[in-house]
Amino acid sequence: MKHEIFMICPPWKQYRIYKRSPMFLFDNIPPKLLKALVAFRFIENCLNQLSSPDHVVFIWVTEKYTEECKDYMKHLGYEYHKYLIWHRPKWKRGSSKKVLEYLMVYYKGKMYAPVLPFPDSLETPFTGRVKDRERKPADAYAMIEAMFPIRPKLQIYGFTHRTGWNVFHHNN
């Protein structure tokens, strides 16, 4: 089945290692690099093999890795459209400091993102709380489902199971 809507939550901590992969020979790949290569090639393969020619990608990224996200998606041939914000609590115990997490929107093909009715990124941030760090706010899914009610949807590296979504999670 070809999908038109993707939501991805990549392991961004591994991206800097992945970017250095051309510096190593194939017969001498360190374990951390191998893990990063598998993770980001898995995303590439899913997007190449499971997407229709026209599709939209929603990709989660913390504030720290936004430039890496733009670099990676540009490398894959995607056009950047905008981002939406989620204020999530910090996961360390004893800290109430909030962290910004972005849901960045990219597109490929004729599903031209400016035509899509996205809310303003700063006026309507996601506010949903989650129980653990693998989850994302339910209102992000609800927004995407409302915008694309009948389009086939796929979540890559996801943990949330919802009606209308297929989930692929590559275990490292």
Side-chain angles (χ1 to χ4, degrees), residues 6-165:
F6 290 86
M7 182 185 286
I8 308 172
C9 188
W12 288 113
K13 289 181 183 178
Q14 298 175 8
Y15 184 72
R16 291 181 181 152
I17 297 168
Y18 169 77
K19 275 186 13 180
R20 293 192 306 240
S21 63
M23 297 172 19
F24 292 91
L25 299 174
F26 284 108
D27 60 345
N28 190 21
I29 297 178
K32 285 184 179 180
L33 175 59
L34 183 60
K35 187 175 180 178
L37 281 170
V38 168
F40 284 94
R41 296 273 166 84
F42 176 71
I43 294 169
E44 277 183 60
N45 289 338
C46 286
L47 290 172
N48 287 335
Q49 296 172 11
L50 301 173
S51 65
S52 65
D54 306 324
H55 58 277
V56 175
V57 176
F58 295 87
I59 189 162
W60 286 104
V61 59
T62 55
E63 188 173 18
K64 183 177 178 180
Y65 296 105
T66 54
E67 291 306 314
E68 282 87 349
C69 178
K70 288 180 180 179
D71 180 51
Y72 180 66
M73 295 304 285
K74 185 176 181 181
H75 166 75
L76 295 180
Y78 285 86
E79 295 290 323
Y80 171 74
H81 174 54
K82 73 180 308 179
Y83 65 89
L84 301 163
I85 296 176
W86 176 34
H87 296 281
R88 71 164 171 81
K90 201 165 180 139
W91 293 111
K92 293 180 182 176
R93 292 183 185 168
S95 174
S96 61
K97 184 178 177 184
K98 292 187 177 184
V99 174
L100 292 179
E101 197 163 320
Y102 297 91
L103 181 58
M104 300 182 85
V105 182
Y106 290 87
Y107 65 93
K108 194 178 251 189
K110 294 179 185 175
M111 193 174 283
Y112 190 58
V115 174
L116 304 174
F118 289 108
D120 184 59
S121 56
L122 296 175
E123 287 181 12
T124 56
F126 301 116
T127 56
R129 295 184 62 86
V130 294
K131 292 183 180 178
D132 56 51
R133 68 177 56 197
E134 285 89 18
R135 307 281 181 211
K136 298 299 175 192
D139 51 345
Y141 291 95
M143 179 201 72
I144 294 169
E145 290 164 358
M147 290 172 60
F148 307 101
I150 59 171
R151 307 263 180 162
K153 300 169 203 56
L154 176 66
Q155 185 177 8
I156 302 172
Y157 282 116
F159 290 91
T160 303
H161 295 281
R162 291 178 64 97
T163 304
W165 289 82

